Amino acid sequence: MASQNPFNKILKTLQKPGDGGEFGKYYSLPALNDSRIDALPYSIRILLESAIRNCDEFQVKANDVEKIIDWKNTSPKLVEIPFKPARVLLQDFTGVPAVVDLACMRDAMNRLGGDSNKINPLVPVDLVIDHSVQVDVARSENAVQANMELEFQRNNERFGFLKWGSNAFDNMLVVPPGSGIVHQVNLEYLGRVVFNTNGVLYPDSVVGTDSHTTMIDGLGVAGWGVGGIEAEAAMLGQPMSMVLPGVVGFKLSGKLRSGVTATDLVLTVTQILRKHGVVGKFVEFYGQGMSELPLADRATIANMSPEYGATMGFFPVDHVTLQYLKLTGRSDETVSMIESYLRANKMFVDYSEPQVERDYSSYLELNLEDVEPCVSGPKRPHDRVTLKEMKADWHACLDNKVGFKGFAVKKEAQTKAAEFKFRETPAKLRHGDVVIAAITSCTNTSNPSVMLGAALVAKKACDLGLEVKPWIKTSLAPGSGVVTKYLQRSGLQKYLNQLGFNIVGYGCTTCIGNSGDIDEAVASAITENDIVAAAVLSGNRNFEGRVHPLTRANYLASPPLVVAYALAGTVDIDFDTEPIGITKDGKQIFFRDIWPSSEEIADVVQSSVLPDMFRETYNAITKGNPMWNGLSVPSGNLYAWDSTSTYIHEPPYFKDMSMSPPGPHGVKDAYCLLNFGDSITTDHISPAGSIHKDSPAARYLTERGVDRRDFNSYGSRRGNDEVMARGTFANIRIVNKFLNGEVGPKTIHVPSGEKLSVFDAATKYKSEGHGMIILAGAEYGSGSSRDWAAKGPMLLGVKAVIAKSFERIHRSNLVGMGIIPLCFKTGEDAETLGLTGHERYTIDLPSNVNEIRPGQDITVVTDNGKKFSSTLRFDTEVELAYFSHGGILQYAIRNLINAKH
């Protein structure tokens, strides 16, 4: 078990500048006197400090610290290390199940005679309600209020539950809906950079339940996206297991040319890194070009780490970071503490001093002067197209066979125009015509230079008499209220309004598919004439079907280019040679006539973006808004569960739980619920998307009086385990060997031979008193980490999964939910062993936890006489402890009850 930290001997005191006393204590990396640390990438030093500070010789061991110090030699070997982040970031979809679990833990603690008020997050949790803004109303001065009212109608129960959580739990901040996008709020307000907790200083680090948590890396805070179970484990003070990553050093030199935007830079960087291959790695930026790269530009690059495949795109703290902290309203004393600590602990980059060469796994370089204006599309974020090549590329896409860069439109059909009437006015629609133009997404709306650049384009266009076609759905969704303040101060918002870019709300919109409906006449013209219509958005993802079902071509572009393409009305244009529009008196206006210089933009940024705006905006956040404040919620520390609710339901995780851990337990005479081949992903397992009308989840909702039009999505009902259990393995494209080639969410109930939905079969097995296992091939659980991909099978009654191999995080999640992961021996699988899935399976585990060791061989026996050896995939002593307690949540409760204080 845990013991005293062996590194307490390097605790030092950090003095304030002058004779101002002390900031606090810190674990000093220089005090280790190890020259290897000087060559470590800055991102790895954050992992090192965390391991040192949290070393207890149980969850984190001195040997883990040595692995990190010896990163140059250990990272190529893919060694695993534990990591404890400083805080956790949630948004509402993932926040609801996390708060549900905390509320259940309180109930369990109360039943067991413990102090239920002990159940609180052990690290700070920041929960931002942001994934709710549907662009139902656009091109209206009242769009914000109208869209907000609709969202509160749809999500009243979820919002109320989260509001209860914000009052009931310590160490949890809930940012109300309408405040902004989680990642922009994190950058401008929540990011600490350095914590000072109980007199101990340490670097801010964060895991979040959204892949674009990486945006905070632009602020020098190590952060990345994880699944819900990892986030909940971190909330409860448990370490995450991670592979010690390689680090790609990306050297920047030079300066962006005038007129080139941060979006152009990030699309270029994304293409370079996708080509290089950075999956599972950190990318760390360095070089003299960093001193010319504003913090907002860094955040734009860091935000798109998921699109180039890296775990992080990290920018170490330097003088640019400190300037941004002051700009965004952080106090002088806080900034002084941050700088003093990071300098003392060799985590600050000072480009005025000679640079020590750091070791990287591989190296890349980019001269910023080489970046050209560009967009990406039409279907993937890394398919970059320079503006000068855009027209030719578009025509190639029309010609090409259907694929990432092709639509296979016949030559004779490429020039056709679909005629329709828009509000009684005759209109035409051609291939490539823009029907959605959205300034959206945390990627760009956090960047004043591109937002004010878009406003300057609008002003120049309005001054020249240009207009946007009325059927183009234009919208502006800032990531925080600060954007509104500086757009108003600059006097430029009125020009965006004039072109139809009214503010529709503060949150994720078009970028995640919340684009709302387009006009019926436009929709009919597209579908009836098979038009390849276009959307242009300042987002980070443009996969086909994501932005809107009717926009087959979707281009990522900077906010100024979104305005430009809205004015042009088409992506089929050469901005160098063709006019972007024609004034009422017949004058041709070109792209160059409306495009601002970098100097023009910098002047407006300098005069319009002020620290007080950030202070005022974020002071107001803590006060909420009228609709949020008007939500009536119970005041008790124990949640009053409503048995009739179809959104929030108490899951049975702690039913019949006692103070004594159940200990290790095997499986006896279990049936096989599902028999899979290779590459079953978390998308196959986890409930996602809309609820099919013939599904068990639909049946459950209908039985409770929910009308089909109000089913909503699985994502919106993640707080109801009954819905989510019914949606587990409900993917319509899942392939189960029991069905002999038939695709879909069915299986065979072996004793009766009935073909049933997976949920119904599992329910039947449970009612008969039978346990269940799953047979699988290689890479079981690959894809994005999803908490319900482990919670769902546990609720169905699955006791073990026997696979050729597991995705690393999903295997850990199964253990966290009390499911046994076993691997076939190399060269073996269900087929080579002659297993059909119709057998009954017995897995014997020693009942004494001390007789089990990570990775030991376990024999599996079937009822027809077959016997085979498998590898038990409990990989650490900590995982063994979780399993012995029945799961990670049960482990946490008993630990808190047994704690002496």
Side-chain angles (χ1 to χ4, degrees):
M1 294 299 290
S3 61
Q4 188 177 12
N5 191 330
F7 292 97
N8 282 346
K9 61 182 181 289
I10 62 167
L11 262 177
K12 303 293 181 186
T13 299
L14 183 65
Q15 299 293 332
K16 292 182 178 180
D19 298 320
E22 59 185 58
F23 286 117
K25 305 281 188 185
Y26 71 104
Y27 286 89
S28 169
L29 301 188
L32 288 171
N33 293 317
D34 193 319
S35 60
R36 291 174 296 177
I37 295 173
D38 293 336
L40 286 178
Y42 285 94
S43 50
I44 299 299
R45 296 181 198 189
I46 292 175
L47 302 184
L48 174 60
E49 190 282 337
S50 174
I52 288 170
R53 178 168 35 86
N54 292 294
C55 187
D56 62 358
E57 293 297 0
F58 176 59
Q59 292 184 334
V60 183
K61 301 183 177 182
N63 184 48
D64 297 315
V65 172
E66 171 57 27
K67 287 179 190 174
I68 301 171
I69 293 176
D70 199 33
W71 169 85
K72 184 177 181 180
N73 297 312
T74 54
S75 66
K77 299 174 184 175
L78 303 179
V79 300
E80 291 204 17
I81 59 162
F83 175 60
K84 286 191 170 188
R87 61 188 170 98
V88 173
L89 185 69
L90 306 173
Q91 18 78 289
D92 49 336
F93 272 12
T94 49
V96 168
V99 178
V100 164
D101 289 351
L102 286 172
C104 285
M105 290 175 72
R106 276 211 171 154
D107 287 345
M109 181 77 108
N110 193 51
R111 286 195 301 271
L112 293 169
D115 180 1
S116 61
N117 289 323
K118 278 187 176 180
I119 299 290
N120 287 296
L122 297 180
V123 300
V125 173
D126 301 319
L127 196 162
V128 183
I129 304 176
D130 78 334
H131 263 49
S132 320
V133 182
Q134 186 84 14
V135 187
D136 293 298
V137 180
R139 289 197 170 210
S140 164
E141 294 290 342
N142 301 315
V144 174
Q145 184 66 19
N147 289 322
M148 180 89 86
E149 287 173 0
L150 286 166
E151 287 313 317
F152 267 80
Q153 288 171 23
R154 291 188 187 112
N155 298 287
N156 192 66
E157 194 175 345
R158 286 195 308 121
F159 290 173
F161 177 67
L162 292 174
K163 185 178 179 182
W164 169 82
S166 70
N167 297 326
F169 294 105
D170 298 333
N171 227 10
M172 179 183 287
L173 171 69
V174 174
V175 177
S179 303
I181 304 175
V182 57
H183 308 305
Q184 185 162 344
V185 174
N186 193 23
L187 185 75
E188 296 176 350
Y189 176 60
L190 299 172
R192 280 72 153 182
V193 186
V194 171
F195 270 91
N196 188 344
T197 303
N198 300 323
V200 177
L201 301 164
Y202 52 96
D204 186 5
S205 58
V206 60
V207 291
T209 51
D210 185 272
S211 58
H212 293 103
T213 299
T214 53
M215 188 171 191
I216 200 66
D217 302 334
L219 194 67
V221 174
W224 58 87
V226 295
I229 290 176
E230 300 98 290
E232 288 186 39
M235 283 166 51
L236 297 170
Q238 301 305 304
M240 292 170 44
S241 180
M242 63 180 289
V243 173
L244 186 60
V247 183
V248 177
F250 200 132
K251 186 176 183 180
L252 299 176
S253 59
K255 182 180 180 180
L256 292 175
R257 290 178 288 122
S258 182
V260 176
T261 68
T263 317
D264 301 324
L265 171 59
V266 72
L267 295 178
T268 303
V269 167
T270 298
Q271 186 182 47
I272 292 169
L273 288 170
R274 286 285 298 203
K275 184 178 180 182
H276 185 73
V278 293
V279 173
K281 296 182 173 68
F282 290 175
V283 176
E284 185 167 295
F285 294 88
Y286 70 104
Q288 288 302 321
M290 292 278 282
S291 60
E292 298 290 344
L293 200 63
L295 195 292
D297 292 11
R298 299 175 182 193
T300 302
I301 295 170
N303 177 284
M304 283 191 71
S305 293
E307 282 66 48
Y308 45 81
T311 303
M312 284 203 303
F314 187 74
F315 291 81
V317 176
D318 59 15
H319 70 283
V320 175
T321 320
L322 301 180
Q323 289 168 2
Y324 181 82
L325 291 171
K326 291 177 181 178
L327 171 67
T328 49
R330 274 81 162 192
S331 70
D332 289 343
E333 183 172 357
T334 297
V335 175
S336 174
M337 177 196 74
I338 290 168
E339 181 177 7
S340 298
Y341 167 77
L342 294 175
R343 282 186 182 275
N345 227 9
K346 293 192 173 181
M347 293 180 175
F348 186 87
V349 182
D350 190 334
Y351 287 103
S352 66
E353 298 174 355
Q355 297 297 297
V356 176
E357 282 295 315
R358 290 178 295 284
D359 292 324
Y360 291 112
S361 308
S362 59
Y363 296 82
L364 290 168
E365 186 168 354
L366 174 66
N367 186 334
L368 299 177
E369 293 174 10
D370 294 337
V371 176
E372 296 183 68
C374 58
V375 297
S376 276
K379 301 182 185 182
R380 297 189 300 185
H382 54 282
D383 289 334
R384 186 177 68 96
V385 187
T386 61
L387 279 196
K388 63 187 180 186
E389 296 168 337
M390 181 60 183
K391 189 178 179 75
D393 190 82
W394 171 251
H395 284 274
C397 287
L398 291 179
D399 289 334
N400 294 342
K401 65 181 183 181
V402 173
F404 293 123
K405 294 287 288 186
F407 298 104
V409 177
K410 293 179 180 177
K411 279 285 186 188
E412 61 271 21
Q414 290 182 13
T415 56
K416 79 172 180 182
E419 297 185 357
F420 67 103
K421 281 194 172 181
F422 181 79
R423 296 172 190 166
E424 304 306 316
T425 303
K428 292 182 180 180
L429 205 61
R430 295 179 172 83
H431 294 300
D433 277 5
V434 175
V435 296
I436 292 176
I439 300 174
T440 179
S441 170
C442 50
T443 306
N444 284 291
T445 65
S446 60
N447 194 321
S449 65
V450 292
M451 296 301 284
L452 287 164
L456 284 170
V457 170
K459 180 182 185 303
K460 289 171 182 278
C462 290
D463 289 347
L464 291 166
L466 297 183
E467 296 177 346
V468 174
K469 292 183 178 72
W471 59 80
I472 298 177
K473 187 165 189 178
T474 45
S475 62
L476 166 58
S480 84
V482 176
V483 179
T484 302
K485 282 186 166 62
Y486 64 64
L487 284 172
Q488 289 173 341
R489 179 180 173 84
S490 69
L492 297 172
Q493 178 67 56
K494 63 184 179 185
Y495 300 106
L496 287 165
N497 292 350
Q498 194 172 323
L499 295 183
F501 288 94
N502 302 85
I503 294 175
V504 296
Y506 301 91
C508 294
T509 56
T510 306
C511 188
I512 61 161
N514 283 357
S515 45
D517 295 331
I518 56 178
D519 186 87
E520 285 184 18
V522 178
S524 297
I526 293 170
T527 54
E528 291 169 10
N529 296 278
D530 200 23
I531 295 292
V532 182
V536 183
L537 65 151
S538 63
N540 46 49
R541 290 185 179 169
N542 56 338
F543 307 120
E544 191 169 13
R546 178 184 176 95
V547 172
H548 192 281
L550 297 181
T551 58
R552 280 192 274 165
N554 302 281
Y555 286 93
L556 305 181
S558 66
L561 276 177
V562 171
V563 178
Y565 275 110
L567 289 161
T570 180
V571 296
D572 184 8
I573 184 173
D574 181 339
F575 279 144
D576 283 342
T577 61
E578 296 176 80
I580 201 166
I582 298 174
T583 63
K584 287 177 180 174
D585 59 5
K587 183 183 177 185
Q588 291 186 336
I589 304 297
F590 287 85
F591 178 80
R592 56 184 171 270
D593 298 324
I594 62 169
W595 198 252
S597 68
S598 296
E599 291 72 26
E600 286 178 88
I601 294 171
D603 287 346
V604 179
V605 171
Q606 183 73 26
S607 61
S608 304
V609 185
L610 305 172
D612 281 348
M613 295 176 176
F614 293 89
R615 293 192 193 100
E616 289 169 15
T617 299
Y618 289 110
N619 285 340
I621 272 183
T622 57
K623 298 172 186 173
N625 57 59
M627 279 183 278
W628 174 260
N629 294 336
L631 285 174
S632 178
V633 296
S635 58
N637 280 351
L638 296 176
Y639 188 67
W641 303 98
D642 177 0
S643 60
T644 65
S645 171
T646 56
Y647 276 98
I648 308 295
H649 184 266
E650 182 179 13
Y653 303 145
F654 310 111
K655 187 180 178 182
D656 302 326
M657 178 182 169
S658 68
M659 270 304 298
S660 300
H665 50 280
V667 178
K668 185 168 179 60
D669 288 334
Y671 282 100
C672 179
L673 178 64
L674 293 151
N675 185 1
F676 291 134
D678 295 341
S679 301
I680 291 294
T681 70
T682 52
D683 284 337
H684 291 118
I685 306 167
S686 186
S690 59
I691 297 172
H692 193 273
K693 63 181 175 63
D694 297 323
S695 67
R699 191 169 70 231
Y700 170 86
L701 293 172
T702 303
E703 288 169 356
R704 281 151 185 81
V706 179
D707 192 87
R708 183 179 167 188
R709 67 173 179 271
D710 297 322
F711 280 179
N712 217 324
S713 64
Y714 281 113
S716 69
R717 295 188 182 272
R718 288 176 76 158
N720 187 310
D721 60 286
E722 296 280 7
V723 173
M724 298 302 279
R726 285 164 172 78
T728 302
F729 296 113
N731 188 296
I732 59 172
R733 290 184 171 81
I734 201 164
V735 178
N736 175 11
K737 292 181 183 178
F738 277 143
L739 302 183
N740 298 316
E742 182 185 336
V743 177
K746 302 279 187 181
T747 195
I748 300 298
H749 176 254
V750 173
S752 67
E754 287 181 88
K755 183 165 74 173
L756 302 169
S757 72
V758 176
F759 176 79
D760 288 343
T763 301
K764 194 172 178 74
Y765 280 127
K766 284 200 290 185
S767 70
E768 296 164 346
H770 300 309
M772 287 158 274
I773 63 108
I774 289 172
L775 293 175
E779 299 175 339
Y780 181 77
S782 55
S784 299
S785 175
R786 303 186 191 281
D787 54 338
W788 279 104
K791 288 179 176 177
M794 185 277 288
L795 291 171
L796 291 178
V798 173
K799 305 300 181 185
V801 178
I802 311 173
K804 286 176 71 174
S805 63
F806 291 91
E807 191 279 330
R808 184 178 61 84
I809 293 175
H810 183 64
R811 182 206 58 78
S812 176
N813 286 349
L814 290 174
V815 176
M817 296 312 297
I819 295 174
I820 303 169
L822 294 171
C823 273
F824 292 109
K825 289 296 182 181
T826 303
E828 295 182 349
D829 58 20
E831 287 191 8
T832 64
L833 292 168
L835 304 174
T836 65
H838 289 80
E839 309 84 358
R840 298 182 73 173
Y841 293 78
T842 296
I843 303 166
D844 276 328
L845 289 183
S847 58
N848 186 338
V849 70
N850 296 321
E851 295 176 13
I852 304 177
R853 63 186 187 281
Q856 78 180 59
D857 284 353
I858 295 292
T859 299
V860 182
V861 180
T862 66
D863 64 333
N864 62 358
K866 290 191 188 314
K867 182 187 291 189
F868 60 94
S869 182
S870 62
T871 303
L872 180 64
R873 289 298 312 276
F874 298 149
D875 289 358
T876 65
E877 292 174 23
V878 175
E879 288 187 346
L880 272 174
Y882 293 163
F883 181 72
S884 180
H885 279 261
I888 190 170
L889 302 178
Q890 293 86 342
Y891 171 87
I893 290 175
R894 293 190 182 99
N895 266 13
L896 285 168
I897 291 176
N898 292 325
K900 292 177 182 176
H901 52 272

